[in-house]
Amino acid sequence: MTVEQERTDVRPTTSPAEAAQYPPGAQIVVRDEEWLVRNVTRTAHDGDRIEAVGVSEFVRDQEAVFFTALDDVELMDPRRTKLIADGSASFRRGRLFLEAVLRKTPLPQSERGLALADSFLLDSLPYQHRPAQLALSGANLRPRLLIADVVGLGKTLEIGLTLAELIRRGRGERILVVTPQHVLEQFQHELWTRFAIPLIRLDSTGIEKVQREIPAGRNPFTYFKRVIVSIDTLKNTDQYKHHLEQIRWDAVVIDESHNLINRGSLRNQLAQLLAPRTDALILASATPHNGNARSFAELIALLDPAAIHDPEHYDADDIKHLFIRRTKVSPEVRETMKGQWADRGPSESVHCAATPAEEKVFEELARVWLPADGTSVSEVPLFPYTLLKSFLSSHKAFRATVNARVKTLEKKDFADPDAPERVALERLRELTAGMTEADSAKFAALVQQLKTIGVGPKSDTRVVVFSERVQTLEWLREAVPAALGFKGKALDEAARVMHGGLSDEQQMQCVEDFGLGDTPVRILFTGDVASEGVNLHRQCHQLIHYDVPWSLIRIEQRNGRIDRYGQAHRPQFRALILTSEVDGAKDDRTVAERLLEREDEAHRSLGTAEAVSGLYRAEAEEKSLVQDLLRGRTVDESLQRSAEDAAAATDDFLADFFAEVDAFDGTEAAPAASEGPAAPADDDGTGPAPAPAVVPRLFAGTREFVDEALREVFPDAQRQLEMDRDDETGLMSFRPPADLVHRMKALPPDYRREQRLHERMLVTLNRKLASLSLVRARESSTSSWPDISLLTDLHPVVEWLTDKVLVNLGRQEAPVITADVPAPTYLVQGIYSNALGRPTVVKWMTVRDGVASDDMVDALRRAGVGPTMANPLHSHDLDALAAGIPDALRAAEMFLDQHSDDWDRALEQPIEQYRQRLGDWEQIGLGGTTKTDLTRLADSLLTTGRPMLRILAVLDAASH
């Protein structure tokens, strides 16, 4: 009976007797397959309800629920371990088995350090490690955090590192990533190519396809364990609510999470639905605040319902265990990126003197619509500025705005064609009726700037051109390529346009084509749909604001598309500033140019412009500015007034939250049991990070393990797998067998299809070669997926080989290895688990002469167990060695009992600190969460029951 129907909040009711019989972490045999117990609860009529996960080959990682009254459940007794002689060369089979067990065993909850940070296809940047360190620190009951780094610092990479560490701890099997639709493919691409974390993209088309392929009524989110979905697809909670309610996730990621804030919105409802149904929750946003303390408290409540007791009054210290925020000028970032990320160039204002036709429009606007005395012809106070902004964009956008307003007035019953506003609108229509490119000063300036930059038929130079208006974008797309000299086929291919009116597939295709080096695209005309989350820096470091948004936040978001981690050149920014000689004309110098200057000043001094106005939302900034302009204030006066009002309304909380200093310095976690006290942080918040995770390994690294595993599992790999190996470059090419092809169904379908993985796989352990393949893919117009993937510890090929090694031995078999030991030495694995079935303490022990110690890996090295040892094929007395197993197990359990209190302290300290933070909080939180619920959750994280013991191998000297 599979457990895909429901995995809701765990409310453990396991009694001590049940825990002793089927303790979490114990191995059981049901239906002739091996399973690992996660949780046990008593039922009224069906005996014990056992939640388990598959261990043996045919059910590996499959979740199931068994009832002892309905199924024959056999607890695997380590005393029945069968010892077998290892006759392989250099005891390779036994060594591989031990290494495979080490690799497959999740790191314990007490391990706070990072295990995989330096093993992926990315630069090792300490500041990008901090979110994962915070998630694992124990500062919060569960791995939950808000990554609020400003644009460009690499939040996707930080998310990938965090997910990888959760996977290594057995807490990342079922992952849901929710992003805006235009970054789906980008996010999916980054997580696979850099971390070997595969996500299946389930956009609206993908979900429909899955539902056609699976049995009727089957939940589409159980079909794949790790998926990425557009928030625009998933927010339709009426359609997907039932399916989502039946799933409990190990980790949920929500990108651009500031969109979740508005209570009652579909996005907010989606977040409220998902947050209680996941263990780990990662929110990411460069602009997580909307200026309202209560709404931000609701966002934080998704992470920890009890973090904020008073949603109107709290400070950054109350939530420091839940968020992390850095800017480009933060000390840690600045020192890490010195010489690796070029400082951006200034925002250059390109003045464009209005043409005679444009001056006539300026004159009409200044006289009729925006006169100095404020007596506008429009009955809607804000409309004249809407009109002005559209004109500052283009005559095309201006005419569209005029026409829309005329239609609005025509629909009114009392509309009079001779009314002053209707007459004034008709006058504007007349003034722009015959305008062409020749009448546009900004169009001429754009063409000249593009030529100066080097964009043209014989150049590879690329540029992003932003405009707020769809009409402007479409017009530029049609007119600019010809003006630059593009002809024939290139005329159609040189430019792409992207805006919110396109489908998600069309938007993703625009981004992909612009980022591939050998596509013919040279100019991307885009609206502000590309200002959030989209990477446009791969082949481009030039950006032009054709029109300038009246928001500091939006300007910064635009600039961040090319000024971001991974940019190889100095980002260059230009803005076209339309100027007029008409008295009283509000040209681009009135607002746009001053906003550009203020954004540039804030970026260089603070690293971000988001807090300048104190409004924290682009829409709010623009609305406030327009209202102040109507009152006669300047841009600077408006920004100052907004900041003062916001500070007074929030008791300076936002200044605290958006402070330059990092909120988390990596040193607040309780140290792991094997570590000493954490070192104090330096004054600048860049103190030493926690020590790397203690990850026991018998082999020197993944390369050695993969090489040995291939020799053991496929003695004639050249014939069996049609394998070719290049020892100089480290490239391996082989035909995947059927069981590996089956596993690869979890990989992105586009990647599998384009690379024809069912026919041939190209993998490597050479990071330089894998990186070169990734760069080469970006230069290709055929596919952005690299043809060579890096074999990280998470890669399906490495996991497949690890499993093949494990099943080389039979059920409960353990090898006997001839080694340099004074007496028979039993290698024992000991695991304590909590009520959720997660390891809290993992010990790798040796038992010799009735004395146990947790030094298995060191003992193996002292005994000479390694690739250079010889196998004398000595005959051991297996019966005598087997007779010593019960005593070895008793000694191991006694050792664990003696030290369990010391190990538990690493868990108890942060849990006790959380209980203290709960204090007198009694209100109902997210999803109806109460203080009792959170206390029960805290209790479930502590070690429970007896340890699970397993005999892994026996070392015996030849003389014995």
Side-chain angles (χ1 to χ4, degrees):
M1 180 181 297
T2 60
V3 73
E4 65 189 26
Q5 290 88 356
E6 184 174 11
R7 288 177 64 203
T8 55
D9 284 334
V10 176
R11 304 179 185 275
T13 60
T14 308
S15 69
E18 292 164 348
Q21 186 174 3
Y22 303 108
Q27 286 184 287
I28 58 176
V29 177
V30 186
R31 303 176 190 177
D32 202 35
E33 296 293 345
E34 298 170 35
W35 307 82
L36 186 72
V37 176
R38 278 187 167 171
N39 192 30
V40 181
T41 54
R42 176 70 66 183
T43 67
H45 305 290
D46 297 323
D48 292 333
R49 180 183 188 273
I50 302 175
E51 294 181 33
V53 61
V55 175
S56 54
E57 183 178 18
F58 293 109
V59 294
R60 186 171 306 282
D61 299 329
Q62 296 296 314
E63 297 168 347
V65 171
F66 302 109
F67 295 89
T68 54
L70 305 177
D71 284 291
D72 183 12
V73 180
E74 176 189 351
L75 186 66
M76 294 180 66
D77 187 347
R79 293 172 298 180
R80 299 178 184 173
T81 300
K82 179 182 179 182
L83 301 181
I84 60 170
D86 182 356
S88 62
S90 302
F91 295 100
R92 183 172 61 210
R93 183 172 304 164
R95 291 187 297 107
L96 283 168
F97 172 74
L98 291 172
E99 175 73 6
V101 173
L102 289 169
R103 286 172 169 269
K104 293 295 287 187
T105 301
L107 293 180
Q109 187 174 304
S110 55
E111 179 55 76
R112 309 296 189 192
L114 303 189
L116 303 172
D118 296 326
S119 62
F120 299 115
L121 199 59
L122 67 162
D123 300 326
S124 181
L125 303 177
Y127 84 84
Q128 291 183 345
H129 298 176
R130 297 291 188 187
Q133 290 164 357
L134 175 57
L136 302 173
S137 68
N140 189 27
L141 288 185
R142 294 169 287 184
R144 292 181 162 224
L145 74 157
L146 166 63
I147 303 177
D149 288 345
V150 300
V151 293
L153 265 62
K155 287 188 288 294
T156 303
L157 301 182
E158 293 168 352
I159 291 169
L161 279 170
T162 304
L163 291 177
E165 292 292 336
L166 292 175
I167 291 170
R168 184 61 182 86
R169 286 158 173 78
R171 303 180 73 170
E173 281 302 304
R174 193 175 288 280
I175 296 174
L176 172 67
V177 176
V178 184
T179 74
Q181 60 186 11
H182 53 276
V183 297
L184 275 177
E185 187 168 328
Q186 173 182 298
F187 206 109
Q188 178 193 39
H189 188 274
E190 289 285 279
L191 260 64
W192 169 251
T193 59
R194 296 193 179 277
F195 302 98
I197 299 176
L199 299 173
I200 296 296
R201 194 171 80 228
L202 292 183
D203 49 23
S204 54
T205 303
I207 290 181
E208 290 177 4
K209 183 177 180 181
V210 168
Q211 288 179 322
R212 289 197 302 267
E213 294 178 354
I214 63 178
R218 176 90 178 260
N219 191 331
F221 298 109
T222 64
Y223 196 62
F224 297 105
K225 289 189 174 184
R226 296 171 182 169
V227 299
I228 182 167
V229 189
S230 160
I231 192 169
D232 300 289
T233 297
L234 209 56
K235 72 182 182 182
N236 186 352
T237 51
D238 288 340
Q239 182 176 355
Y240 298 114
K241 182 177 180 180
H242 174 69
H243 292 313
L244 292 173
E245 285 178 336
Q246 308 308 312
I247 299 290
R248 180 169 176 83
W249 304 92
D250 291 314
V252 169
V253 176
I254 305 180
D255 194 19
E256 305 296 344
S257 55
H258 54 271
N259 294 316
L260 308 177
I261 286 179
N262 296 328
R263 176 172 283 274
S265 68
L266 292 177
R267 289 182 173 90
N268 181 264
Q269 292 175 32
L270 171 63
Q272 297 279 347
L273 178 66
L274 291 174
R277 291 171 171 80
T278 181
D279 178 40
L281 177 61
I282 304 172
L283 307 179
S285 173
T287 56
H289 212 295
N290 66 352
N292 183 283
R294 177 175 287 276
S295 64
F296 185 69
E298 292 174 359
L299 184 67
I300 293 299
L302 295 172
L303 302 170
D304 181 357
I308 296 174
H309 291 197
D310 182 353
E312 298 290 349
H313 302 95
Y314 56 98
D315 57 35
D317 194 58
D318 293 328
I319 57 174
K320 66 181 181 181
H321 60 297
L322 296 168
F323 85 91
I324 188 166
R325 176 177 176 81
R326 284 78 53 87
T327 73
K328 194 176 178 181
V329 301
S330 295
E332 185 178 35
V333 179
R334 186 178 62 245
E335 292 303 312
T336 300
M337 299 306 300
K338 188 179 293 182
Q340 299 186 52
W341 185 357
D343 289 335
R344 76 183 207 179
S347 293
E348 178 184 347
S349 294
V350 179
H351 283 206
C352 315
T355 65
E358 289 172 328
E359 288 288 45
K360 290 180 181 179
V361 177
F362 269 124
E363 183 176 356
E364 185 73 7
L365 291 175
R367 183 177 62 85
V368 177
W369 296 89
L370 289 165
D373 61 6
T375 57
S376 174
V377 71
S378 178
E379 61 186 46
V380 179
L382 297 182
F383 179 69
Y385 277 98
T386 302
L387 202 57
L388 173 65
K389 284 198 67 185
S390 66
F391 177 64
L392 293 174
S393 179
S394 71
H395 62 282
K396 295 284 188 179
F398 185 64
R399 283 186 61 83
T401 301
V402 171
N403 291 336
R405 179 62 179 163
V406 169
K407 288 182 180 179
T408 298
L409 293 176
E410 287 175 346
K411 290 179 181 178
K412 294 185 177 181
D413 295 336
F414 56 85
D416 180 0
D418 297 323
E421 185 172 0
R422 286 288 302 275
V423 173
L425 289 168
E426 291 301 328
R427 171 62 179 161
L428 294 178
R429 277 179 164 176
E430 293 171 6
L431 290 175
T432 57
M435 290 183 68
T436 66
E437 289 85 69
D439 297 306
S440 171
K442 289 172 75 170
F443 181 87
L446 174 64
V447 173
Q448 182 57 49
Q449 288 298 313
L450 292 175
K451 290 180 178 179
T452 301
I453 291 170
V455 179
K458 298 181 179 180
S459 171
D460 293 332
T461 301
R462 301 192 182 196
V463 64
V464 183
V465 179
F466 271 99
S467 172
E468 290 189 308
R469 307 289 171 148
V470 173
Q471 297 83 4
T472 302
L473 293 171
E474 297 285 3
W475 166 57
L476 293 175
R477 164 67 182 86
E478 291 296 323
V480 168
L484 290 174
F486 287 97
K487 298 178 181 179
K489 186 178 180 181
L491 186 65
D492 296 326
E493 297 176 337
R496 289 289 180 88
V497 64
M498 177 174 161
H499 51 72
L502 302 181
S503 68
D504 53 351
E505 291 290 341
Q506 290 172 319
Q507 291 181 31
M508 287 187 290
Q509 192 63 50
C510 285
V511 173
E512 180 177 8
D513 289 348
F514 190 69
L516 295 175
D518 67 353
T519 56
V521 182
R522 294 295 174 265
I523 313 169
L524 178 63
F525 294 107
T526 181
D528 287 322
V529 67
S531 66
E532 289 187 354
V534 178
N535 292 333
L536 300 177
H537 66 294
R538 301 298 185 192
Q539 309 293 335
C540 174
H541 65 282
Q542 302 280 359
L543 185 149
I544 296 177
H545 299 278
Y546 193 82
D547 52 46
V548 178
W550 286 11
S551 159
L552 296 172
I553 291 174
R554 192 69 77 200
I555 294 171
E556 181 173 79
Q557 288 175 333
R558 283 184 177 186
N559 290 346
R561 296 314 99 210
I562 65 168
D563 181 21
R564 54 199 305 107
Y565 168 67
Q567 175 59 265
H569 305 281
R570 190 182 193 194
Q572 301 288 332
F573 306 103
R574 293 171 172 82
L576 304 184
I577 303 298
L578 186 61
T579 66
S580 173
E581 297 298 325
V582 172
D583 289 339
K586 291 178 172 56
D587 61 17
D588 274 322
R589 291 172 296 187
T590 306
V591 176
E593 189 166 34
R594 186 55 188 141
L595 286 177
L596 286 169
E597 293 168 353
R598 289 297 300 269
E599 188 275 339
D600 193 62
E601 292 166 3
H603 179 86
R604 297 184 188 283
S605 60
L606 303 175
T608 177
E610 292 160 1
V612 171
S613 69
L615 296 174
Y616 304 97
R617 278 293 177 270
E619 298 80 3
E621 280 189 331
E622 181 171 342
K623 182 178 179 180
S624 175
L625 177 57
V626 171
Q627 290 174 338
D628 282 342
L629 291 173
L630 285 170
R631 298 184 182 102
R633 294 190 177 108
T634 66
V635 168
D636 289 319
E637 289 170 343
S638 176
L639 293 175
Q640 181 177 352
R641 193 270 312 167
S642 298
E644 290 172 351
D645 290 350
T650 59
D651 296 327
D652 287 327
F653 163 71
L654 298 184
D656 190 15
F657 176 79
F658 284 96
E660 184 178 340
V661 179
D662 299 353
F664 173 71
D665 61 20
T667 65
E668 298 175 9
S674 59
E675 303 295 333
D682 295 337
D683 291 340
D684 63 0
T686 62
V694 177
V695 183
R697 288 284 172 86
L698 186 56
F699 283 63
T702 302
R703 179 188 300 274
E704 182 182 329
F705 173 72
V706 168
D707 288 345
E708 292 275 352
L710 283 171
R711 292 190 189 99
E712 176 66 21
V713 179
F714 300 102
D716 188 0
Q718 186 173 7
R719 179 185 60 81
Q720 293 172 283
L721 301 177
E722 300 176 13
M723 176 170 283
D724 294 324
R725 300 189 64 165
D726 187 330
D727 293 333
E728 183 176 347
T729 64
L731 177 64
M732 290 187 287
S733 170
F734 67 98
R735 175 185 51 78
D739 56 343
L740 179 55
V741 171
H742 178 74
R743 285 177 180 244
M744 290 191 299
K745 288 184 178 180
L747 272 59
D750 291 347
Y751 169 64
R752 296 199 320 263
R753 182 179 61 256
E754 290 176 7
Q755 299 300 327
R756 304 177 70 86
L757 296 186
H758 61 287
E759 298 177 1
R760 201 106 190 128
M761 291 196 74
L762 298 177
V763 296
T764 185
L765 287 152
N766 184 330
R767 287 166 58 91
K768 290 184 177 179
L769 179 61
S771 180
L772 179 63
S773 176
L774 183 57
V775 172
R776 191 168 57 239
R778 293 184 185 134
E779 301 295 330
S780 166
S781 60
T782 57
S783 174
S784 61
W785 296 104
D787 57 349
I788 303 172
S789 59
L790 181 68
L791 288 180
T792 71
D793 286 349
L794 303 184
H795 197 285
V797 170
V798 176
E799 292 184 336
W800 167 69
L801 280 174
T802 304
D803 290 343
K804 300 290 274 188
V805 166
L806 287 173
V807 298
N808 255 4
L809 293 179
R811 181 178 297 166
Q812 277 195 284
E813 289 184 347
V816 176
I817 299 173
T818 305
D820 184 12
V821 291
T825 302
Y826 296 83
L827 309 185
V828 186
Q829 179 191 46
I831 299 178
Y832 279 108
S833 297
N834 59 27
L836 304 179
R838 301 192 187 108
T840 57
V841 176
V842 177
K843 292 298 172 182
W844 307 94
M845 297 172 285
T846 59
V847 180
R848 183 186 302 145
D849 295 329
V851 178
S853 60
D854 56 342
D855 64 344
M856 187 183 86
V857 174
D858 288 339
L860 286 165
R861 293 196 177 105
R862 291 195 301 270
V865 176
T868 61
M869 69 187 303
N871 186 346
L873 298 178
H874 179 76
S875 178
H876 298 275
D877 189 342
L878 299 181
D879 291 338
L881 293 174
I885 288 178
D887 288 340
L889 290 169
R890 279 192 292 270
E893 185 165 9
M894 185 181 302
F895 174 80
L896 293 176
D897 288 342
Q898 289 172 346
H899 297 280
S900 60
D901 289 344
D902 294 334
W903 297 326
D904 277 345
R905 289 193 188 99
L907 302 175
E908 292 171 351
Q909 180 180 344
I911 291 174
E912 180 57 34
Q913 289 174 348
Y914 187 84
R915 285 197 181 103
Q916 292 174 5
R917 282 203 299 271
L918 279 177
D920 58 357
W921 181 81
E922 293 290 353
Q923 69 188 67
I924 303 299
L926 179 71
T929 304
T930 66
K931 182 177 180 179
T932 301
D933 296 327
L934 295 176
T935 301
R936 185 183 290 116
L937 174 62
D939 292 340
S940 71
L941 301 180
L942 294 171
T943 299
T944 183
R946 296 172 57 189
M948 185 208 66
L949 299 173
R950 182 182 182 186
I951 298 291
L952 301 179
V954 178
L955 306 183
D956 191 30
S959 59
H960 299 152

